[in-house]
Amino acid sequence: MSRRRFLMTIGTGLALAGPAGAIAQGARIKPGPGDALIVVDMQNCFVPGGTLPVAGGDQIVPLVNGLARAFENVVITMDWHTPGHVSFASSHAGKKPFETVSLPYGTQVLWPDHCIQGTKDAELVPGLQIPHAHLVIRKGHRRHIDSYSAFYEADGKTPTGLTGYLRERGIQQTFFVGLATDFCVAWSALDARKAGFAAYVIEDATRGIDAGGSLGKAWHDMTGAGVKRIMSSDIERS
Ligand code: VGL
Ligand code: ZN
């Protein structure tokens, strides 16, 4: 074997086992009837100019639109809070955004007021073009409980109904894009695994908040739970 050929082989081997290495290079996924794309919280609140902006959140819109065209099953989620929601720092005297409080269901990170039902801030970003999406799940709509996950509210037991919907539709594999990688995307992908679905996060079609190391922890938890970390180039688009 020539030295050059040998190095190329090593190079490929590393790519196969690399950090993003859920999918062997070259083995692209062609979405079919058993696959659903779940587009998480692509709302004005989470892009620059919104109330809880995720850096670069607006940049993924064209990629999300393009990926959605490759899936016949698309579900959209929306963060949909009441005014005075328990996850808002403004609801807790003396507390500031990104601090935490202890609530009956566990530790809650506190956020600026965001995604209030019926406001412009809570609307889907205007550039999102997924007319064929079948279902919109609104979550976090109960004043006293947050819901990052598209499947279960933050008590871990109140269902949104998404598990039943996907099962009844014969979906086996779920693919996640949107905002934010380390909160609503991660919690949703982890719950998808708990419900028995295969789960893939398309990394370059997400952006994270990364509060206090939350992004690294989210990837650690996700890969530990069997969530596959892939890139948009791993999805076959016609
Ligand atoms: C989210 C924080 C608070 C999210 C929602 O969509 O990731 N993050 N509410
Ligand atoms: Zn929220």
Side-chain angles (χ1 to χ4, degrees):
M1 193 189 290
S2 75
R3 182 178 152 79
R4 187 179 141 77
R5 172 91 194 123
F6 176 69
L7 287 175
M8 277 171 58
T9 310
I10 291 194
T12 313
L14 286 175
L16 285 170
I23 294 291
Q25 277 197 348
R28 301 177 89 210
I29 299 169
K30 184 161 180 52
D35 301 315
L37 182 70
I38 304 188
V39 176
V40 178
D41 298 4
M42 290 298 298
Q43 293 162 270
N44 291 328
C45 27
F46 296 119
V47 298
T51 47
L52 177 43
V54 181
D58 51 333
Q59 294 164 3
I60 64 173
V61 176
L63 194 50
V64 170
N65 288 339
L67 286 164
R69 282 193 285 275
F71 284 82
E72 62 183 76
N73 301 306
V74 183
V75 174
I76 290 176
T77 73
M78 298 175 81
D79 213 36
W80 199 250
H81 298 310
T82 60
H85 192 260
V86 71
S87 73
F88 298 169
S90 62
S91 303
H92 304 267
K95 289 287 185 182
K96 291 201 248 340
F98 306 101
E99 293 179 355
T100 59
V101 283
S102 182
L103 294 178
Y105 56 80
T107 303
Q108 171 74 49
V109 180
L110 296 174
W111 306 104
D113 292 21
H114 65 280
C115 296
I116 293 177
Q117 298 170 5
T119 63
K120 189 110 197 133
D121 189 59
E123 287 175 10
L124 294 170
V125 295
L128 200 70
Q129 284 166 6
I130 316 181
H132 64 293
H134 292 167
L135 176 70
V136 177
I137 289 267
R138 288 171 168 172
K139 59 187 179 58
H141 52 72
R142 272 183 260 275
R143 185 168 176 181
H144 295 290
I145 181 164
D146 203 3
S147 184
Y148 296 143
S149 166
F151 293 88
Y152 288 96
E153 300 190 30
D155 60 1
K157 50 180 194 255
T158 306
T160 63
L162 184 57
T163 307
Y165 173 84
L166 294 175
R167 280 205 191 124
E168 278 204 291
R169 294 283 324 285
I171 304 296
Q172 284 151 356
Q173 307 203 85
T174 53
F175 294 77
F176 294 88
V177 296
L179 304 169
T181 325
D182 37 351
F183 289 92
C184 292
V185 171
W187 286 50
S188 298
L190 288 168
D191 277 351
R193 293 292 301 133
K194 281 191 202 136
F197 300 105
Y200 297 79
V201 172
I202 308 174
E203 182 172 9
D204 53 334
T206 70
R207 289 291 184 277
I209 293 174
D210 205 12
S214 56
L215 190 56
K217 182 182 180 319
W219 279 119
H220 178 265
D221 292 349
M222 286 194 283
T223 47
V227 175
K228 296 184 181 112
R229 181 176 186 172
I230 62 170
M231 299 296 271
S232 55
S233 56
D234 294 318
I235 304 287
E236 198 171 310
R237 289 184 262 166
S238 42

Coordinates of all heavy atoms in Angstrom, one line a residue, residues 100-134:
T100 N -31.5 29.9 39.0 CA -32.4 28.7 39.1 C -33.3 28.9 40.4 O -32.9 29.6 41.3 CB -31.6 27.4 39.2 OG1 -30.7 27.4 40.3 CG2 -30.8 27.2 37.9
V101 N -34.4 28.2 40.3 CA -35.2 28.0 41.5 C -35.6 26.5 41.6 O -35.5 25.8 40.7 CB -36.5 28.8 41.5 CG1 -36.3 30.2 41.8 CG2 -37.3 28.5 40.2
S102 N -35.9 26.1 42.9 CA -36.4 24.8 43.1 C -37.9 24.7 43.0 O -38.5 25.5 43.8 CB -35.8 24.3 44.4 OG -36.2 23.0 44.7
L103 N -38.4 23.9 42.2 CA -39.9 23.8 42.0 C -40.3 22.3 42.4 O -39.4 21.5 42.4 CB -40.3 24.1 40.6 CG -40.1 25.6 40.2 CD1 -40.5 25.8 38.8 CD2 -40.9 26.5 41.1
P104 N -41.6 22.1 42.6 CA -42.0 20.7 43.0 C -41.4 19.6 42.0 O -41.2 18.5 42.4 CB -43.5 20.8 42.9 CG -43.8 22.2 43.2 CD -42.7 23.0 42.6
Y105 N -41.3 20.0 40.7 CA -40.8 19.0 39.8 C -39.3 19.0 39.6 O -38.8 18.2 38.8 CB -41.5 19.1 38.5 CG -41.5 20.5 37.8 CD1 -40.3 20.8 37.1 CD2 -42.5 21.4 37.9 CE1 -40.3 22.1 36.4 CE2 -42.4 22.6 37.3 CZ -41.3 23.0 36.5 OH -41.3 24.2 35.9
G106 N -38.6 19.8 40.3 CA -37.1 19.8 40.2 C -36.6 21.2 40.0 O -37.3 22.2 40.2
T107 N -35.3 21.3 39.6 CA -34.6 22.6 39.5 C -35.1 23.2 38.1 O -35.1 22.6 37.1 CB -33.1 22.4 39.5 OG1 -32.7 21.8 40.7 CG2 -32.4 23.8 39.4
Q108 N -35.5 24.5 38.2 CA -35.9 25.2 37.0 C -35.0 26.3 36.7 O -34.7 27.2 37.6 CB -37.3 25.7 37.2 CG -37.8 26.7 36.2 CD -38.2 26.0 34.9 OE1 -39.0 25.0 34.9 NE2 -37.7 26.5 33.7
V109 N -34.4 26.4 35.5 CA -33.6 27.5 35.1 C -34.6 28.6 34.8 O -35.7 28.4 34.2 CB -32.8 27.2 33.8 CG1 -32.0 28.5 33.4 CG2 -31.9 26.1 34.0
L110 N -34.3 29.9 35.2 CA -35.2 31.0 35.0 C -34.8 31.7 33.7 O -33.6 31.9 33.5 CB -35.2 31.9 36.2 CG -35.8 31.2 37.5 CD1 -35.6 32.1 38.7 CD2 -37.2 30.8 37.3
W111 N -35.8 32.2 33.0 CA -35.6 32.8 31.7 C -36.2 34.2 31.7 O -37.1 34.5 32.5 CB -36.2 32.0 30.6 CG -35.8 30.5 30.6 CD1 -36.5 29.5 31.0 CD2 -34.5 30.0 30.2 NE1 -35.7 28.3 30.9 CE2 -34.5 28.6 30.4 CE3 -33.3 30.6 29.6 CZ2 -33.4 27.8 30.1 CZ3 -32.3 29.8 29.3 CH2 -32.3 28.4 29.5
P112 N -35.8 35.0 30.7 CA -36.5 36.3 30.5 C -37.9 35.9 30.1 O -38.1 34.8 29.5 CB -35.8 36.9 29.3 CG -34.5 36.2 29.1 CD -34.7 34.8 29.7
D113 N -38.9 36.8 30.2 CA -40.3 36.5 29.7 C -40.1 36.2 28.2 O -39.5 37.0 27.5 CB -41.2 37.7 29.9 CG -41.5 38.0 31.3 OD1 -40.7 37.6 32.2 OD2 -42.5 38.7 31.6
H114 N -40.7 35.1 27.7 CA -40.5 34.8 26.3 C -41.7 34.0 25.8 O -42.4 33.3 26.6 CB -39.2 34.0 26.1 CG -39.2 32.6 26.8 ND1 -39.0 32.5 28.1 CD2 -39.4 31.4 26.3 CE1 -39.0 31.2 28.4 NE2 -39.3 30.5 27.3
C115 N -41.9 34.0 24.5 CA -42.9 33.1 23.8 C -44.3 33.2 24.5 O -44.8 32.1 24.8 CB -42.4 31.7 23.7 SG -40.9 31.5 22.7
I116 N -44.8 34.3 24.8 CA -46.1 34.4 25.4 C -47.2 34.2 24.4 O -47.2 34.8 23.3 CB -46.2 35.8 26.2 CG1 -45.2 35.8 27.4 CG2 -47.7 36.0 26.7 CD1 -45.2 37.0 28.2
Q117 N -48.1 33.4 24.7 CA -49.2 32.9 23.8 C -49.9 34.1 23.1 O -50.3 35.1 23.7 CB -50.3 32.2 24.7 CG -49.8 31.0 25.4 CD -50.8 30.4 26.4 OE1 -51.9 31.0 26.6 NE2 -50.4 29.4 27.1
G118 N -49.9 34.0 21.8 CA -50.7 35.0 21.0 C -49.9 36.2 20.7 O -50.4 37.1 20.0
T119 N -48.6 36.3 21.1 CA -47.8 37.5 20.8 C -47.0 37.3 19.5 O -46.8 36.1 19.1 CB -46.8 37.9 21.9 OG1 -45.9 36.8 22.1 CG2 -47.5 38.1 23.2
K120 N -46.6 38.4 18.9 CA -45.7 38.3 17.7 C -44.4 37.5 18.0 O -43.9 36.7 17.2 CB -45.4 39.7 17.3 CG -44.7 39.9 16.0 CD -45.6 40.5 15.0 CE -45.1 40.3 13.6 NZ -46.0 39.8 12.6
D121 N -43.9 37.7 19.3 CA -42.7 37.1 19.7 C -42.8 35.5 19.7 O -41.8 34.8 19.5 CB -42.4 37.5 21.2 CG -41.1 37.1 21.7 OD1 -40.0 37.5 21.1 OD2 -41.1 36.4 22.8
A122 N -44.0 35.0 19.9 CA -44.3 33.6 19.9 C -44.6 33.0 18.6 O -44.7 31.8 18.4 CB -45.4 33.3 20.9
E123 N -44.7 33.8 17.5 CA -45.0 33.3 16.2 C -43.8 32.5 15.6 O -42.7 32.8 16.0 CB -45.4 34.4 15.2 CG -46.8 35.0 15.5 CD -47.1 36.2 14.7 OE1 -46.4 36.5 13.7 OE2 -48.2 36.8 15.0
L124 N -44.1 31.6 14.7 CA -43.0 31.0 14.0 C -42.2 32.0 13.2 O -42.8 33.0 12.8 CB -43.6 29.9 13.0 CG -44.3 28.7 13.8 CD1 -45.0 27.8 12.8 CD2 -43.3 27.9 14.6
V125 N -40.9 31.8 13.0 CA -40.2 32.8 12.3 C -40.8 33.0 10.9 O -41.1 32.0 10.3 CB -38.7 32.5 12.2 CG1 -38.0 32.6 13.6 CG2 -38.4 31.2 11.6
P126 N -40.8 34.2 10.4 CA -41.5 34.4 9.1 C -40.9 33.6 7.9 O -41.6 33.2 7.0 CB -41.5 35.9 8.8 CG -40.7 36.5 9.9 CD -40.4 35.4 11.0
G127 N -39.6 33.3 8.0 CA -38.9 32.6 6.9 C -39.1 31.1 6.9 O -38.7 30.5 5.9
L128 N -39.8 30.6 7.9 CA -40.0 29.2 8.0 C -41.1 28.8 6.9 O -42.2 29.3 7.0 CB -40.5 28.8 9.4 CG -40.3 27.3 9.8 CD1 -38.8 26.9 9.9 CD2 -41.0 27.0 11.1
Q129 N -40.7 27.9 6.0 CA -41.6 27.4 5.0 C -41.8 25.9 5.0 O -41.0 25.2 4.3 CB -41.1 27.9 3.6 CG -41.3 29.4 3.4 CD -40.5 30.0 2.3 OE1 -39.9 29.3 1.5 NE2 -40.6 31.3 2.1
I130 N -42.8 25.5 5.8 CA -43.0 24.0 5.9 C -44.5 23.9 5.8 O -45.2 23.4 6.7 CB -42.5 23.4 7.2 CG1 -41.1 24.0 7.5 CG2 -42.5 21.9 7.1 CD1 -40.4 23.4 8.7
P131 N -45.1 24.2 4.6 CA -46.6 24.1 4.5 C -47.1 22.7 4.7 O -48.3 22.5 5.1 CB -46.9 24.6 3.1 CG -45.6 24.5 2.3 CD -44.5 24.7 3.4
H132 N -46.3 21.7 4.5 CA -46.8 20.3 4.6 C -46.7 19.7 6.0 O -47.0 18.6 6.2 CB -46.1 19.4 3.6 CG -44.6 19.3 3.8 ND1 -43.7 20.3 3.7 CD2 -43.8 18.2 4.2 CE1 -42.5 19.9 4.0 NE2 -42.5 18.6 4.3
A133 N -46.2 20.5 7.0 CA -46.2 20.0 8.4 C -47.6 19.5 8.8 O -48.6 20.2 8.5 CB -45.7 21.1 9.3
H134 N -47.6 18.4 9.4 CA -48.9 17.8 9.8 C -49.5 18.2 11.1 O -50.6 18.2 11.4 CB -48.8 16.2 9.9 CG -48.5 15.6 8.6 ND1 -48.1 14.3 8.5 CD2 -48.6 16.1 7.3 CE1 -47.9 14.0 7.2 NE2 -48.2 15.0 6.5

